[in-house]
Amino acid sequence: MPAWQTALRQAVSSVEELLRLVKLDAAELDICADAREFPLRVPHSFIRRMEAGNRNDPLLRQVLPLHEEWREKPGFVRDPLGEREAMTTPGLLHKYNGRALLTLTGACAVHCRYCFRRHFPYGEANPAASHWDRILTYLEHHEEISEIILSGGDPLALPDARLGELAGQLAVIPHVRTLRIHTRLPIVLPERVDDQLLGWLGKHPQRTVLVVHCNHPNEIDAAVTVGMQKLKQVGVTLLNQTVLLGGVNDDAATLIRLSESLFDAGILPYYLHQLDRVQGSAHFEVADRTACELMARIHATLPGYLVPRLVRETPGAPGKQLLWPAWHG
Ligand SMILES: *Cc1c(COP(=O)(O)O)cnc(C)c1O
Ligand code: SF4
């Protein structure tokens, strides 16, 4: 078994164990132990990047189930993007022109408390073997699709033998020019970038883009940087998406440091997402006005290529909605 799969199996799923590792007392925190629908999950390599004894650690806050999640707030719903309806073929989302997104698996290396997929019906949404043929047929018949996005869950939670096989089937669709992968795994578990992954990805005949998901500069350590360098060497374009999260990264200094750290690791910032208003995530929300003020600070400090696009996903829109800069005509 590859080292990353062993590390995934050893991921921490007990709140008590996590708190012991980061030297915190449950009594200091408003923990919600009952997180059965979306349980705690975090690998050791990510825990090692947390600061021991810091209950406000930005990495800890992303994974620790708190009581706040149970507070209902109007507007925060179970399926904020209406993805159940958008999925005409199970496992395939074709919402935007030219791009189709495949939810390959419901599995993730880490359970992010703010995730809009926390209530997602993964059982129905995975293109099991029986749906894969339908998906391929759809992609082959829609010549306007020039880019296929592998998403999830986290597509890199799948073994490379399977991914290599799927990629091979996508590679022969003549109108598809780009294979894009949306993944948090190379950040959370850098050993995921191993020779098997580099093997099939490096040989892939279409352009390859990897969009990682990193929310805080503390997530980028030496091992992450090494993985990114290896991906670059096999010709992969590296981008990042961040979710703007109250108490994690909602200050200009952190976001500026994040852009610079990403660039040091060979990654360009792509999107800064406003949270999807999913039930249980209201305590992470940052007001649009604050988000725009943060953007103005980043823009005034960094070169243009290190300024992410502030966006929100809006059901029915032709693409992500750009929130900044506002146009004052
Ligand atoms: C975000 C998203 C994409 C990709 O959008 P880009 O703006 O190209 O990054 C494609 N399909 C779906 C369903 C998405 O949610
Ligand atoms: S890795 Fe991505 S899909 Fe998985 S829980 Fe985190 S945000 Fe959600």
Side-chain angles (χ1 to χ4, degrees), residues 251-260 292-308 324:
D251 65 280
T254 299
L255 292 171
I256 288 165
R257 226 158 30 87
L258 174 59
S259 274
E260 286 176 333
C292 289
E293 284 165 6
L294 290 170
M295 285 303 301
R297 294 273 303 279
I298 300 170
H299 174 68
T301 310
L302 291 177
Y305 59 87
L306 293 187
V307 181
W324 188 91

Side-chain angles (χ1 to χ4, degrees), residues 81 83 93-96 99-101 147 149 180 182 270-271 273 313 319-320:
L81 304 177
E83 289 204 328
L93 279 165
H94 185 193
K95 288 204 303 197
Y96 298 162
R99 291 148 289 174
L101 183 145
E147 176 168 19
I149 303 169
R180 187 195 321 182
H182 282 183
Y270 179 37
Y271 279 142
H273 288 272
E313 202 164 330
K320 314 272 185 246

Side-chain angles (χ1 to χ4, degrees), residues 49 109 154 156 181-193 197 210-213 219 221 223-225 227-228 231 238:
R49 285 169 258 170
D154 198 313
L156 294 191
I181 302 174
H182 282 183
T183 176
R184 190 144 161 66
L185 250 155
I187 301 291
V188 170
L189 205 69
E191 56 262 60
R192 179 64 186 89
V193 184
L197 175 68
L210 201 87
V211 184
V212 294
H213 170 178
E219 292 173 38
D221 64 4
V224 169
T225 304
M228 293 300 135
L231 287 161
L238 299 173

Side-chain angles (χ1 to χ4, degrees), residues 38 62 105-118 122 151-155 182-185 188 213 215 243:
F38 194 63
Q62 294 179 54
T105 171
C108 283
V110 62
H111 284 175
C112 314
R113 303 317 302 174
Y114 53 84
C115 183
F116 77 98
R117 292 181 192 277
R118 55 183 293 154
Y122 282 120
S151 183
D154 198 313
H182 282 183
T183 176
R184 190 144 161 66
L185 250 155
V188 170
H213 170 178
N215 297 324
V243 182

Side-chain angles (χ1 to χ4, degrees), residues 108-270:
C108 283
V110 62
H111 284 175
C112 314
R113 303 317 302 174
Y114 53 84
C115 183
F116 77 98
R117 292 181 192 277
R118 55 183 293 154
H119 308 288
F120 209 70
Y122 282 120
E124 304 156 35
N126 294 341
S130 55
H131 296 306
W132 184 247
D133 285 345
R134 272 177 70 192
I135 289 173
L136 274 183
T137 307
Y138 184 96
L139 297 173
E140 281 159 7
H141 283 87
H142 285 75
E143 290 189 11
E144 75 278 17
I145 296 174
S146 62
E147 176 168 19
I148 295 174
I149 303 169
L150 306 185
S151 183
D154 198 313
L156 294 191
L158 292 175
D160 287 303
R162 174 104 181 100
L163 288 169
E165 186 189 342
L166 301 183
Q169 288 172 303
L170 300 175
V172 295
I173 307 177
H175 48 270
V176 174
R177 301 190 58 210
T178 308
L179 180 69
R180 187 195 321 182
I181 302 174
H182 282 183
T183 176
R184 190 144 161 66
L185 250 155
I187 301 291
V188 170
L189 205 69
E191 56 262 60
R192 179 64 186 89
V193 184
D194 62 7
D195 290 344
Q196 278 69 39
L197 175 68
L198 295 166
W200 68 265
L201 206 48
K203 284 204 294 281
H204 195 78
Q206 296 150 343
R207 296 183 298 209
T208 49
V209 181
L210 201 87
V211 184
V212 294
H213 170 178
C214 177
N215 297 324
H216 193 280
N218 293 2
E219 292 173 38
I220 303 171
D221 64 4
V224 169
T225 304
V226 168
M228 293 300 135
Q229 281 164 353
K230 289 181 181 166
L231 287 161
K232 269 209 138 144
Q233 274 161 13
V234 300
V236 180
T237 297
L238 299 173
L239 303 172
N240 177 62
Q241 42 189 351
T242 294
V243 182
L244 184 58
L245 297 166
V248 172
N249 59 15
D250 60 333
D251 65 280
T254 299
L255 292 171
I256 288 165
R257 226 158 30 87
L258 174 59
S259 274
E260 286 176 333
S261 304
L262 287 166
F263 191 49
D264 289 341
I267 312 164
L268 285 175
Y270 179 37

